[in-house]
Amino acid sequence: MKQSSQLALVNELLELAEGIAQRAGEMLSIRPENFDINEKSSARDFATHMDHASEKLIVAEILAARCDDGIIGEEGANRESKSGITWVIDPIDGTVNYFYNLPGWNISIAAKDSQGVLIGIVYAPTLNSLWHASRGGGAFLNGRPIHVSNARVLEDSLLATGFSYDVAERVRQGEQIAALIPRVRDIRRLGAAAVDLCHVASGSLDGYFETGLKEWDLAAGGLIAREAGALVSGRKGSPAGEAMVIAAGPALHALLTEEIG
Ligand code: IPD
Ligand code: CA
Ligand code: CA
């Protein structure tokens, strides 16, 4: 594809995703009085009717604008691409926070092509924050360029992580945290993986690690973190994925990989 038409495509996808994320955010910001809940892998893992309503809105708006695109959505949307572009959607990342009326829940929308994630948007209405990035085009928070922190030692590093919905995995994660907590500035569990990755991108966290992330947790936030200068990998430099995600600036990433990778 010519450079100018690639740029036009990136701008079209970013504009579309930003508008959709904002409309989904407006809908979600009007909290329902009651929630219909459906349990997923365990009692800890659930979706509300608002997760489904958000996915429905996002999918309808994407297809109204680009009917040949593919879709992968956490709440079940699944459509093969005829255009080469596939959208990866988390309609509410941080459902538990949303349910308890805690901040940080967000709408995460990415679009990928044959070379990987091309654009990503993470919109967190409760934080007044909209992050975006495109491959090779840098990362931005509310329109301003962002960069990872330059943390170089564990002792001065503020980290975040998350806990799995799987109990056995939680026990392993607890052991890992117990070993790490005496050696770092502190560890946060904020409750939304996409925002954790974006906080690394904008330097509000020095690093982040978690096991068990799915493609929709990682797609947009992972691109935003990379474009802001983070390394985002799995264990020992393997690709980031369900087995492990470690995100931090290069110096801290090397230390974290040694510690937990
Ligand atoms: C979850 C959140 C949480 C993380 C979990 C994710 P969901 O996403 O991002 O912070 O620890 O791994 O599954 O289920 O609220 O979309
Ligand atoms: Ca999620
Ligand atoms: Ca979700």
Side-chain angles (χ1 to χ4, degrees), residues 40 44-47 51 74-75 90-98 105-106 161-165 173 189-196 208-214 216-217:
K40 303 210 277 192
R44 287 161 292 279
D45 183 13
F46 61 86
D51 296 70
E74 179 178 12
E75 304 311 333
D90 194 337
I92 304 180
D93 175 51
T95 292
V96 175
N97 282 28
Y98 182 72
W105 56 267
N106 64 87
T161 190
F163 301 119
S164 170
Y165 295 125
Q173 288 170 327
R189 197 299 186 233
L190 299 172
V195 157
D196 290 337
Y208 161 75
F209 62 96
E210 184 167 350
T211 56
L213 291 197
K214 299 286 198 298
W216 43 79
D217 298 311

Side-chain angles (χ1 to χ4, degrees), residues 234-255:
R235 290 181 203 281
K236 300 189 183 3
S238 62
E242 221 169 319
M244 177 59 88
V245 173
I246 303 172
L252 183 63
H253 184 275
L255 296 175

